[in-house]
Amino acid sequence: ALIALHYKGKFLPFPYVKWNVQWGSWQVEGEYNEYSVKRSGTFDGSEGDGMLVLCPTNDGMKDNALETYEGKLRVRLYRWGKLIFDQLSDDACLEIGGLNYWKGSSSNWIGRSEVSEGPLGKIVMNKDLDQLGADALRTASFFVEIPGL
């Protein structure tokens, strides 16, 4: 897992991430140098409100998860522990479940990860490559509506 955030012209990749996820509630936090970020997502709908999306499985790509564009997402960015950014969106894209995970589930998915400086880390945390992708999406958004942009 990796959180990436663009803030005031800076690309901030957060390679140290921890999360606590349960149906309808996502708490994800990351750290990068002097920055930390907290992302909180919520969804108040039902399992039937999402749309199926393809996911990799042992048997190839399958319609195995549900997503919505009606989630609420709060992003808080801190520098040296001081809050410098706090935004809320009510049209966030959130994964809201899968074929084996519905609202009735009471179990939390708790974890942490770290993106290393190895070959994959150098690609994932490449600021120039990220900027090219952001520029391409921005240009495409002039011709087609891209939710979230």
Side-chain angles (χ1 to χ4, degrees), residues 109-132:
W109 178 36
I110 299 171
R112 63 180 49 239
S113 71
E114 176 181 339
V115 175
S116 69
E117 295 292 327
L120 180 59
K122 288 180 181 173
I123 293 171
V124 171
M125 296 177 55
N126 183 321
K127 296 174 186 175
D128 294 331
L129 185 59
D130 182 78
Q131 187 62 54
L132 284 172

PDB file of all heavy atoms in Angstrom, residues 109-132:
ATOM      1  N   TRP A 109     -10.075  -5.253   8.981  1.00  0.00           N
ATOM      2  CA  TRP A 109      -8.840  -5.592   8.282  1.00  0.00           C
ATOM      3  C   TRP A 109      -7.816  -4.566   8.740  1.00  0.00           C
ATOM      4  O   TRP A 109      -7.902  -3.386   8.414  1.00  0.00           O
ATOM      5  CB  TRP A 109      -9.047  -5.532   6.777  1.00  0.00           C
ATOM      6  CG  TRP A 109      -7.818  -5.816   5.975  1.00  0.00           C
ATOM      7  CD1 TRP A 109      -6.830  -6.703   6.272  1.00  0.00           C
ATOM      8  CD2 TRP A 109      -7.437  -5.204   4.742  1.00  0.00           C
ATOM      9  NE1 TRP A 109      -5.859  -6.689   5.292  1.00  0.00           N
ATOM     10  CE2 TRP A 109      -6.212  -5.770   4.342  1.00  0.00           C
ATOM     11  CE3 TRP A 109      -8.023  -4.239   3.933  1.00  0.00           C
ATOM     12  CZ2 TRP A 109      -5.561  -5.406   3.182  1.00  0.00           C
ATOM     13  CZ3 TRP A 109      -7.376  -3.870   2.778  1.00  0.00           C
ATOM     14  CH2 TRP A 109      -6.157  -4.460   2.406  1.00  0.00           C
ATOM     15  N   ILE A 110      -6.879  -5.018   9.548  1.00  0.00           N
ATOM     16  CA  ILE A 110      -5.868  -4.147  10.119  1.00  0.00           C
ATOM     17  C   ILE A 110      -4.515  -4.570   9.566  1.00  0.00           C
ATOM     18  O   ILE A 110      -4.193  -5.764   9.543  1.00  0.00           O
ATOM     19  CB  ILE A 110      -5.874  -4.249  11.657  1.00  0.00           C
ATOM     20  CG1 ILE A 110      -7.241  -3.809  12.194  1.00  0.00           C
ATOM     21  CG2 ILE A 110      -4.764  -3.405  12.260  1.00  0.00           C
ATOM     22  CD1 ILE A 110      -7.436  -4.063  13.673  1.00  0.00           C
ATOM     23  N   GLY A 111      -3.731  -3.605   9.113  1.00  0.00           N
ATOM     24  CA  GLY A 111      -2.433  -3.964   8.563  1.00  0.00           C
ATOM     25  C   GLY A 111      -1.518  -2.772   8.445  1.00  0.00           C
ATOM     26  O   GLY A 111      -1.875  -1.647   8.791  1.00  0.00           O
ATOM     27  N   ARG A 112      -0.338  -3.055   7.954  1.00  0.00           N
ATOM     28  CA  ARG A 112       0.657  -2.019   7.684  1.00  0.00           C
ATOM     29  C   ARG A 112       1.545  -2.485   6.555  1.00  0.00           C
ATOM     30  O   ARG A 112       1.665  -3.684   6.316  1.00  0.00           O
ATOM     31  CB  ARG A 112       1.455  -1.656   8.933  1.00  0.00           C
ATOM     32  CG  ARG A 112       2.285  -2.769   9.513  1.00  0.00           C
ATOM     33  CD  ARG A 112       3.073  -2.353  10.775  1.00  0.00           C
ATOM     34  NE  ARG A 112       2.266  -1.673  11.747  1.00  0.00           N
ATOM     35  CZ  ARG A 112       2.502  -0.422  12.199  1.00  0.00           C
ATOM     36  NH1 ARG A 112       3.546   0.244  11.777  1.00  0.00           N
ATOM     37  NH2 ARG A 112       1.707   0.140  13.068  1.00  0.00           N
ATOM     38  N   SER A 113       2.145  -1.545   5.877  1.00  0.00           N
ATOM     39  CA  SER A 113       3.055  -1.903   4.794  1.00  0.00           C
ATOM     40  C   SER A 113       4.122  -0.827   4.649  1.00  0.00           C
ATOM     41  O   SER A 113       3.994   0.281   5.171  1.00  0.00           O
ATOM     42  CB  SER A 113       2.307  -2.085   3.476  1.00  0.00           C
ATOM     43  OG  SER A 113       1.868  -0.848   2.984  1.00  0.00           O
ATOM     44  N   GLU A 114       5.149  -1.191   3.904  1.00  0.00           N
ATOM     45  CA  GLU A 114       6.244  -0.271   3.630  1.00  0.00           C
ATOM     46  C   GLU A 114       6.717  -0.509   2.206  1.00  0.00           C
ATOM     47  O   GLU A 114       6.978  -1.645   1.815  1.00  0.00           O
ATOM     48  CB  GLU A 114       7.390  -0.522   4.612  1.00  0.00           C
ATOM     49  CG  GLU A 114       8.603   0.312   4.357  1.00  0.00           C
ATOM     50  CD  GLU A 114       9.733   0.011   5.344  1.00  0.00           C
ATOM     51  OE1 GLU A 114       9.461  -0.527   6.429  1.00  0.00           O
ATOM     52  OE2 GLU A 114      10.883   0.301   4.997  1.00  0.00           O
ATOM     53  N   VAL A 115       6.779   0.550   1.419  1.00  0.00           N
ATOM     54  CA  VAL A 115       7.332   0.463   0.073  1.00  0.00           C
ATOM     55  C   VAL A 115       8.817   0.754   0.202  1.00  0.00           C
ATOM     56  O   VAL A 115       9.219   1.834   0.642  1.00  0.00           O
ATOM     57  CB  VAL A 115       6.661   1.465  -0.884  1.00  0.00           C
ATOM     58  CG1 VAL A 115       7.332   1.428  -2.245  1.00  0.00           C
ATOM     59  CG2 VAL A 115       5.183   1.157  -1.015  1.00  0.00           C
ATOM     60  N   SER A 116       9.629  -0.210  -0.182  1.00  0.00           N
ATOM     61  CA  SER A 116      11.080  -0.063  -0.019  1.00  0.00           C
ATOM     62  C   SER A 116      11.671   0.765  -1.155  1.00  0.00           C
ATOM     63  O   SER A 116      11.002   1.106  -2.122  1.00  0.00           O
ATOM     64  CB  SER A 116      11.736  -1.441   0.015  1.00  0.00           C
ATOM     65  OG  SER A 116      11.650  -2.043  -1.262  1.00  0.00           O
ATOM     66  N   GLU A 117      12.940   1.037  -1.048  1.00  0.00           N
ATOM     67  CA  GLU A 117      13.650   1.788  -2.078  1.00  0.00           C
ATOM     68  C   GLU A 117      14.103   0.891  -3.237  1.00  0.00           C
ATOM     69  O   GLU A 117      14.841   1.339  -4.088  1.00  0.00           O
ATOM     70  CB  GLU A 117      14.871   2.483  -1.464  1.00  0.00           C
ATOM     71  CG  GLU A 117      14.506   3.554  -0.451  1.00  0.00           C
ATOM     72  CD  GLU A 117      13.819   4.754  -1.090  1.00  0.00           C
ATOM     73  OE1 GLU A 117      14.144   5.095  -2.236  1.00  0.00           O
ATOM     74  OE2 GLU A 117      12.954   5.337  -0.433  1.00  0.00           O
ATOM     75  N   GLY A 118      13.699  -0.361  -3.265  1.00  0.00           N
ATOM     76  CA  GLY A 118      14.092  -1.284  -4.327  1.00  0.00           C
ATOM     77  C   GLY A 118      13.544  -0.859  -5.672  1.00  0.00           C
ATOM     78  O   GLY A 118      13.001   0.232  -5.832  1.00  0.00           O
ATOM     79  N   PRO A 119      13.631  -1.741  -6.692  1.00  0.00           N
ATOM     80  CA  PRO A 119      13.194  -1.385  -8.045  1.00  0.00           C
ATOM     81  C   PRO A 119      11.740  -0.929  -8.117  1.00  0.00           C
ATOM     82  O   PRO A 119      11.445   0.065  -8.766  1.00  0.00           O
ATOM     83  CB  PRO A 119      13.398  -2.675  -8.844  1.00  0.00           C
ATOM     84  CG  PRO A 119      14.409  -3.450  -8.064  1.00  0.00           C
ATOM     85  CD  PRO A 119      14.230  -3.063  -6.630  1.00  0.00           C
ATOM     86  N   LEU A 120      10.830  -1.634  -7.438  1.00  0.00           N
ATOM     87  CA  LEU A 120       9.430  -1.232  -7.470  1.00  0.00           C
ATOM     88  C   LEU A 120       9.250   0.113  -6.775  1.00  0.00           C
ATOM     89  O   LEU A 120       8.530   0.984  -7.256  1.00  0.00           O
ATOM     90  CB  LEU A 120       8.542  -2.293  -6.809  1.00  0.00           C
ATOM     91  CG  LEU A 120       7.051  -1.984  -6.783  1.00  0.00           C
ATOM     92  CD1 LEU A 120       6.520  -1.802  -8.199  1.00  0.00           C
ATOM     93  CD2 LEU A 120       6.287  -3.075  -6.063  1.00  0.00           C
ATOM     94  N   GLY A 121       9.914   0.307  -5.658  1.00  0.00           N
ATOM     95  CA  GLY A 121       9.824   1.577  -4.941  1.00  0.00           C
ATOM     96  C   GLY A 121      10.294   2.741  -5.782  1.00  0.00           C
ATOM     97  O   GLY A 121       9.744   3.835  -5.717  1.00  0.00           O
ATOM     98  N   LYS A 122      11.343   2.538  -6.595  1.00  0.00           N
ATOM     99  CA  LYS A 122      11.859   3.608  -7.443  1.00  0.00           C
ATOM    100  C   LYS A 122      10.863   3.991  -8.534  1.00  0.00           C
ATOM    101  O   LYS A 122      10.810   5.137  -8.961  1.00  0.00           O
ATOM    102  CB  LYS A 122      13.200   3.201  -8.042  1.00  0.00           C
ATOM    103  CG  LYS A 122      14.294   3.192  -6.993  1.00  0.00           C
ATOM    104  CD  LYS A 122      15.627   2.797  -7.553  1.00  0.00           C
ATOM    105  CE  LYS A 122      16.633   2.808  -6.418  1.00  0.00           C
ATOM    106  NZ  LYS A 122      17.902   2.314  -6.768  1.00  0.00           N
ATOM    107  N   ILE A 123      10.060   3.031  -8.981  1.00  0.00           N
ATOM    108  CA  ILE A 123       9.029   3.333  -9.973  1.00  0.00           C
ATOM    109  C   ILE A 123       7.842   4.011  -9.298  1.00  0.00           C
ATOM    110  O   ILE A 123       7.364   5.048  -9.738  1.00  0.00           O
ATOM    111  CB  ILE A 123       8.571   2.051 -10.711  1.00  0.00           C
ATOM    112  CG1 ILE A 123       9.699   1.504 -11.564  1.00  0.00           C
ATOM    113  CG2 ILE A 123       7.328   2.333 -11.554  1.00  0.00           C
ATOM    114  CD1 ILE A 123       9.427   0.137 -12.155  1.00  0.00           C
ATOM    115  N   VAL A 124       7.372   3.421  -8.202  1.00  0.00           N
ATOM    116  CA  VAL A 124       6.186   3.932  -7.511  1.00  0.00           C
ATOM    117  C   VAL A 124       6.423   5.333  -6.964  1.00  0.00           C
ATOM    118  O   VAL A 124       5.542   6.181  -6.994  1.00  0.00           O
ATOM    119  CB  VAL A 124       5.771   2.968  -6.380  1.00  0.00           C
ATOM    120  CG1 VAL A 124       4.691   3.565  -5.509  1.00  0.00           C
ATOM    121  CG2 VAL A 124       5.312   1.641  -6.959  1.00  0.00           C
ATOM    122  N   MET A 125       7.607   5.602  -6.454  1.00  0.00           N
ATOM    123  CA  MET A 125       7.889   6.894  -5.837  1.00  0.00           C
ATOM    124  C   MET A 125       8.610   7.855  -6.778  1.00  0.00           C
ATOM    125  O   MET A 125       9.214   8.816  -6.347  1.00  0.00           O
ATOM    126  CB  MET A 125       8.678   6.674  -4.546  1.00  0.00           C
ATOM    127  CG  MET A 125       7.852   5.918  -3.526  1.00  0.00           C
ATOM    128  SD  MET A 125       8.679   5.504  -2.002  1.00  0.00           S
ATOM    129  CE  MET A 125       9.258   7.056  -1.430  1.00  0.00           C
ATOM    130  N   ASN A 126       8.518   7.621  -8.097  1.00  0.00           N
ATOM    131  CA  ASN A 126       9.157   8.462  -9.095  1.00  0.00           C
ATOM    132  C   ASN A 126       8.303   9.704  -9.329  1.00  0.00           C
ATOM    133  O   ASN A 126       7.251   9.648  -9.955  1.00  0.00           O
ATOM    134  CB  ASN A 126       9.335   7.668 -10.395  1.00  0.00           C
ATOM    135  CG  ASN A 126      10.066   8.442 -11.453  1.00  0.00           C
ATOM    136  OD1 ASN A 126       9.869   9.640 -11.620  1.00  0.00           O
ATOM    137  ND2 ASN A 126      10.905   7.749 -12.189  1.00  0.00           N
ATOM    138  N   LYS A 127       8.764  10.841  -8.851  1.00  0.00           N
ATOM    139  CA  LYS A 127       7.990  12.075  -8.935  1.00  0.00           C
ATOM    140  C   LYS A 127       7.784  12.524 -10.375  1.00  0.00           C
ATOM    141  O   LYS A 127       6.727  13.024 -10.733  1.00  0.00           O
ATOM    142  CB  LYS A 127       8.668  13.169  -8.126  1.00  0.00           C
ATOM    143  CG  LYS A 127       8.719  12.854  -6.654  1.00  0.00           C
ATOM    144  CD  LYS A 127       9.518  13.883  -5.893  1.00  0.00           C
ATOM    145  CE  LYS A 127       9.650  13.420  -4.450  1.00  0.00           C
ATOM    146  NZ  LYS A 127      10.489  14.290  -3.671  1.00  0.00           N
ATOM    147  N   ASP A 128       8.795  12.353 -11.233  1.00  0.00           N
ATOM    148  CA  ASP A 128       8.665  12.773 -12.623  1.00  0.00           C
ATOM    149  C   ASP A 128       7.628  11.925 -13.358  1.00  0.00           C
ATOM    150  O   ASP A 128       6.809  12.446 -14.116  1.00  0.00           O
ATOM    151  CB  ASP A 128      10.012  12.680 -13.338  1.00  0.00           C
ATOM    152  CG  ASP A 128      11.036  13.670 -12.780  1.00  0.00           C
ATOM    153  OD1 ASP A 128      10.615  14.739 -12.292  1.00  0.00           O
ATOM    154  OD2 ASP A 128      12.238  13.357 -12.820  1.00  0.00           O
ATOM    155  N   LEU A 129       7.651  10.618 -13.126  1.00  0.00           N
ATOM    156  CA  LEU A 129       6.677   9.727 -13.748  1.00  0.00           C
ATOM    157  C   LEU A 129       5.271  10.044 -13.258  1.00  0.00           C
ATOM    158  O   LEU A 129       4.315  10.074 -14.025  1.00  0.00           O
ATOM    159  CB  LEU A 129       7.033   8.265 -13.451  1.00  0.00           C
ATOM    160  CG  LEU A 129       6.202   7.192 -14.118  1.00  0.00           C
ATOM    161  CD1 LEU A 129       6.279   7.312 -15.634  1.00  0.00           C
ATOM    162  CD2 LEU A 129       6.670   5.809 -13.677  1.00  0.00           C
ATOM    163  N   ASP A 130       5.134  10.323 -11.977  1.00  0.00           N
ATOM    164  CA  ASP A 130       3.839  10.690 -11.422  1.00  0.00           C
ATOM    165  C   ASP A 130       3.322  11.972 -12.055  1.00  0.00           C
ATOM    166  O   ASP A 130       2.142  12.074 -12.379  1.00  0.00           O
ATOM    167  CB  ASP A 130       3.941  10.850  -9.901  1.00  0.00           C
ATOM    168  CG  ASP A 130       2.597  11.174  -9.303  1.00  0.00           C
ATOM    169  OD1 ASP A 130       1.782  10.242  -9.154  1.00  0.00           O
ATOM    170  OD2 ASP A 130       2.347  12.357  -9.013  1.00  0.00           O
ATOM    171  N   GLN A 131       4.197  12.945 -12.256  1.00  0.00           N
ATOM    172  CA  GLN A 131       3.779  14.210 -12.866  1.00  0.00           C
ATOM    173  C   GLN A 131       3.305  13.998 -14.296  1.00  0.00           C
ATOM    174  O   GLN A 131       2.321  14.591 -14.724  1.00  0.00           O
ATOM    175  CB  GLN A 131       4.915  15.237 -12.838  1.00  0.00           C
ATOM    176  CG  GLN A 131       4.484  16.617 -13.300  1.00  0.00           C
ATOM    177  CD  GLN A 131       3.411  17.216 -12.411  1.00  0.00           C
ATOM    178  OE1 GLN A 131       3.581  17.297 -11.211  1.00  0.00           O
ATOM    179  NE2 GLN A 131       2.299  17.625 -12.998  1.00  0.00           N
ATOM    180  N   LEU A 132       3.991  13.127 -15.049  1.00  0.00           N
ATOM    181  CA  LEU A 132       3.545  12.814 -16.415  1.00  0.00           C
ATOM    182  C   LEU A 132       2.137  12.227 -16.406  1.00  0.00           C
ATOM    183  O   LEU A 132       1.296  12.584 -17.226  1.00  0.00           O
ATOM    184  CB  LEU A 132       4.516  11.842 -17.081  1.00  0.00           C
ATOM    185  CG  LEU A 132       5.840  12.418 -17.560  1.00  0.00           C
ATOM    186  CD1 LEU A 132       6.772  11.285 -18.016  1.00  0.00           C
ATOM    187  CD2 LEU A 132       5.618  13.405 -18.688  1.00  0.00           C
TER     188      LEU A 132
END
